Amino acid sequence: MSQSAVSDPAVDPAVAADARQPRLASRGALVAALILFAIFAALPPAATAAGDPFLVVTATRIVIYAIAALSLDLVLGYGAMVSFGHAAFLGIGAYSVAILASLGIGDVVLQAVVAVAVSALFALLTGAISLRTKGVYFIMITLAFGQMAFFFFVSLSAYGGDDGVTLYSRSTLLGTSALESDVGLYYTALVVLVAAFFLLRTVVASRFGRVLRGTRDNTVRMQAIGFAPFPYQLTAYVIAGALCGIAGVLLANQTEFVSPAYMTWQRSGELIVMVVLGGMGTLTGAIAGAVGYLALENVLSSMWEHWHLPFGALIILLVLYTRGGIAGLVGRIFGARP
């Protein structure tokens, strides 16, 4: 038998099965995401039926951080860029709401446009410098830029400095007060999450996404076949920063309070843990990681004052013994590759 016949999927069932595996994995991830979105959509009626409206507030926070985790997964999971300053974009989005509200601009659409523009510009400038480095040096320089943003907003005494600033009301949505109700804000955040998921799914499935994954796996090989990694990595960094800025806009409206604490390196670390916990390089995993991290935090904090100890131990065990994170664990349960 010829070599071509051996490798022909029509002849060799094993080769055909391997060829189908990525498509099946992608389809499984999409199904899992749709199930998650359906659960999210059904949560407010379920909370009302259970007589616990506070569940909607908790779920809104989870959805917002899921958007931020998705944005980080683009650079961390698909680009292998470990950014310890990603929370800076979250803070920039939140302060866009506070500053524009003080100037009389209260519509969330305009605030989101400004947040995206400022976050993208900050990502472009800092990313162009940070991406000249690699490994631990990249981690340290993103941490430095994040801390610079943190101390810049601490110095803004007009907006409360280190104490932050309270918003008098939530933003309007195209002139309506749809965000004033917790349910309205929740569904708005959910729509943004779904849109962000499908946007990033399209990005990573495109030629751009394939090149980005190639630079993650082997930068030298990508350079050898004619692709310069820098512009692809920088573009991904800007997209991630802009998307995280939108999460910051929603977070400010959810808490009705803005503080430099939103952009500390600890917050960046929490986002990294969410991505790792859910499964790096899997968009569905980033959402699942945010759900698992924040749900576990809420449950343990309600049970014990010193909840950080068991919380940290559980996170370590989950990361060590669930290869591929939550997405990998679910994939193995249902017989698919992570």
Side-chain angles (χ1 to χ4, degrees):
M1 184 180 293
S2 66
Q3 182 65 31
S4 60
V6 172
S7 60
D8 187 353
V11 177
D12 192 335
V15 174
D18 286 341
R20 287 194 302 268
Q21 196 68 40
R23 293 195 296 271
L24 292 174
S26 177
R27 190 179 305 167
L30 177 59
V31 170
L34 292 176
I35 292 172
L36 274 174
F37 294 148
I39 293 172
F40 281 140
L43 193 142
T48 302
D52 189 2
F54 185 73
L55 280 175
V56 176
V57 177
T58 302
T60 303
R61 183 168 178 258
I62 290 174
V63 169
I64 292 170
Y65 274 98
I67 298 169
L70 267 180
S71 68
L72 179 60
D73 193 33
L74 179 64
V75 294
L76 176 58
Y78 291 94
M81 294 174 274
V82 185
S83 173
F84 251 98
H86 200 70
F89 304 113
L90 195 69
I92 289 171
Y95 270 97
S96 296
V97 174
I99 293 172
L100 290 175
S102 70
L103 298 175
I105 302 174
D107 193 88
V108 73
V109 175
L110 294 176
Q111 292 169 346
V113 169
V114 172
V116 166
V118 177
S119 297
L121 179 60
F122 184 74
L124 179 64
L125 296 176
T126 59
I129 298 171
S130 302
L131 289 168
R132 303 291 180 183
T133 63
K134 297 182 183 301
V136 69
Y137 301 104
F138 178 83
I139 296 173
M140 294 306 295
I141 199 168
T142 56
L143 172 62
F145 279 126
Q147 289 301 101
M148 286 171 59
F150 169 78
F151 286 111
F152 171 77
F153 285 103
V154 166
S155 69
L156 294 181
S157 57
Y159 297 98
D162 193 30
D163 295 326
V165 56
T166 300
L167 303 179
Y168 291 109
S169 63
R170 288 178 177 170
S171 305
T172 58
L173 176 60
L174 300 175
T176 69
S177 58
L179 302 186
E180 284 297 331
S181 77
D182 290 334
V183 173
L185 177 61
Y186 173 78
Y187 278 119
T188 301
L190 181 58
V191 168
V192 174
L193 174 62
V194 174
F197 173 81
F198 283 104
L199 171 65
L200 293 184
R201 181 178 169 84
T202 302
V203 168
V204 299
S206 67
R207 179 177 179 270
F208 170 84
R210 292 195 295 272
V211 174
L212 185 65
R213 294 197 300 273
T215 61
R216 173 197 64 189
D217 297 333
N218 194 319
T219 303
V220 175
R221 182 178 296 174
M222 295 304 296
Q223 291 172 326
I225 62 177
F227 290 101
F230 180 79
Y232 291 92
Q233 292 174 325
L234 182 59
T235 302
Y237 197 79
V238 171
I239 293 172
L243 185 56
C244 193
I246 296 177
V249 170
L250 294 169
L251 182 63
N253 277 281
Q254 196 253 333
T255 59
E256 297 185 59
F257 176 76
V258 177
S259 166
Y262 291 168
M263 56 181 67
T264 60
W265 67 267
Q266 292 95 331
R267 191 62 53 92
S268 296
E270 290 175 358
L271 293 175
I272 291 174
V273 172
M274 290 177 195
V275 173
V276 174
L277 179 63
M280 291 192 297
T282 59
L283 297 176
T284 307
I287 300 173
V291 173
Y293 183 94
L294 293 173
L296 192 59
E297 179 185 76
N298 276 280
V299 170
L300 290 177
S301 63
S302 65
M303 294 171 58
W304 192 29
E305 181 182 357
H306 305 289
W307 60 272
H308 291 90
L309 182 60
F311 180 71
L314 283 171
I315 292 296
I316 292 172
L317 290 173
L318 286 169
V319 171
L320 287 177
Y321 295 104
T322 56
R323 182 175 56 86
I326 296 173
L329 178 62
V330 173
R332 287 192 296 278
I333 291 173
F334 290 97
R337 290 179 183 176

